[in-house]
Amino acid sequence: MAFRTEYYIVDREALPDVFVKVVEAKRLLLTGQVQTVQEATELLKISRSSFYKYKDMIEPFTDTAHKKTVTIACTLDDEPGVLSQLLAVIGEAKANILTIHQSIPINGVADITMSIEVLEEAWSITEIIDALRKLPGVHAIKILARE
């Protein structure tokens, strides 16, 4: 059986602290705020072995998704205006909806899957997701794919 690498997008809140600290240590090194791995790991209170174990396995989800297609899944209340508000935020963000699919609402909620094109002049995907999560009637937003 061939080994296949799989990638996941995971909310930061679900990650163990060590992963978040490894990403931060890499950022500190990259920006020159610290000069050595030893400095970074001491500052962040993680072991050097943890840093080296995970450094090549974790990267932050960055907003380099400009000019990219992002597919997101949303769970919304089945009430008038909720989907309209969601679409208005995407329009305000200057992102382009490529596809949208809504399931038949069950128990007062509907699942929406949409692909949006994030252009140079658009908000970052993080800003878009954060704005969508704040809307009344939106229960969940998750990124399914990014191209």
Side-chain angles (χ1 to χ4, degrees), residues 77-139:
D77 283 338
D78 180 33
E79 295 177 1
V82 176
L83 178 57
S84 177
Q85 289 178 335
L86 185 129
L87 298 176
V89 167
I90 292 169
E92 183 182 333
K94 300 197 181 344
N96 184 32
I97 297 173
L98 300 174
T99 65
I100 186 166
H101 173 77
Q102 179 178 340
S103 68
I104 295 173
I106 299 174
N107 296 326
V109 294
D111 291 317
I112 308 287
T113 304
M114 67 179 135
S115 295
I116 60 174
E117 183 179 33
V118 181
L119 306 169
E120 284 291 328
E121 64 275 5
W123 297 357
S124 71
I125 190 62
T126 302
E127 291 170 320
I128 294 169
I129 298 295
D130 285 347
L132 295 177
R133 282 190 173 132
K134 291 176 185 171
L135 292 173
V138 175
H139 295 284

Side-chain angles (χ1 to χ4, degrees), residues 42-94:
E42 285 177 1
L43 182 67
L44 297 167
K45 298 179 176 30
I46 58 171
S47 68
R48 285 182 25 186
S49 62
S50 292
F51 175 82
Y52 285 113
K53 180 176 181 178
Y54 299 119
K55 74 176 182 70
D56 295 327
M57 302 172 109
I58 187 162
E59 292 292 333
F61 177 80
T62 59
D63 292 332
T64 57
H66 289 290
K67 293 187 179 178
K68 302 280 184 175
T69 300
V70 179
T71 303
I72 60 175
C74 314
T75 303
L76 315 174
D77 283 338
D78 180 33
E79 295 177 1
V82 176
L83 178 57
S84 177
Q85 289 178 335
L86 185 129
L87 298 176
V89 167
I90 292 169
E92 183 182 333
K94 300 197 181 344

